[in-house]
Amino acid sequence: MEKLVKELQQYGQVQEHVSLRTMTTLRIGGNARIVVYPKNILALTQVIREIKEADVPFKLIGKGSNLLCSDDDYNGVVIRLDRTFTEHYFDHDVCYAEAGCSIIALAYDAMKNSLSGLEFASGIPGTVGGVTYMNAGAYKSNMASVIQEVFVYHDGQL
């Protein structure tokens, strides 16, 4: 694992033996062996490649909302996107957002830019990636009703 830690450090901030309680909104869970915050999309692809080559399990999370983590230690890598994948942009009536962007902040900024559709998300404590994956919703609306397309990383390809 020490070799993996050194490899991952070139791609972002790395922490060892971090309590999952500090990474989830439900405040439960044991310790994660390694936590990494990739610098950008290129770093993320390399982080996943290094982890897979080392044959170490990994989980990818944002703010950790609605995650039930075991109290047992997790001897793998947690990749977090909520510090570095936080950008969002508006181009006329279209919003582009990275997976680690707070959905609350995005809903607020959409309102400031006179865009509607994300009002339901203004109280959801998650990230764009998580609420998209779960199709989060409230007040008879959900993410599927506002998303036009998604850019994903799957099986080594973007």
Side-chain angles (χ1 to χ4, degrees), residues 37-102:
Y37 296 86
K39 296 176 190 176
N40 52 44
I41 192 72
L42 179 60
L44 174 61
T45 61
Q46 290 302 112
V47 162
I48 293 172
R49 183 173 287 129
E50 294 288 345
I51 293 168
K52 285 183 175 183
E53 284 178 10
D55 197 30
V56 173
F58 70 96
K59 302 288 182 193
L60 196 122
I61 68 171
K63 291 188 177 300
S65 47
N66 291 339
L67 293 182
L68 292 171
C69 299
S70 170
D71 286 332
D72 296 336
D73 289 345
Y74 178 63
N75 196 28
V77 179
V78 174
I79 303 170
R80 293 207 54 194
L81 303 181
D82 66 326
R83 286 188 188 170
T84 52
F85 286 75
T86 60
E87 298 294 325
H88 62 275
Y89 312 94
F90 295 96
D91 184 10
H92 302 289
D93 64 344
V94 177
C95 173
Y96 302 91
E98 293 182 310
C101 178
S102 163

Side-chain angles (χ1 to χ4, degrees), residues 6 8 12 45 57 67 72 80 91 101 106 108 110 116 143 149:
K6 287 185 189 254
L8 296 177
T45 61
L67 293 182
D72 296 336
R80 293 207 54 194
D91 184 10
C101 178
L106 185 63
Y108 179 75
S116 64
M143 291 304 290
E149 62 183 324

Side-chain angles (χ1 to χ4, degrees), residues 116-134:
S116 64
L118 282 178
E119 296 85 0
F120 74 91
S122 64
I124 299 172
T127 57
V128 169
V131 298
T132 300
Y133 181 80
M134 296 176 60

Side-chain angles (χ1 to χ4, degrees), residues 15-20 23 30-35 73-78:
Q15 298 172 324
E16 295 184 77
H17 307 288
V18 180
S19 173
L20 289 163
M23 294 186 266
N31 292 322
R33 176 65 178 85
I34 301 171
V35 177
D73 289 345
Y74 178 63
N75 196 28
V77 179
V78 174

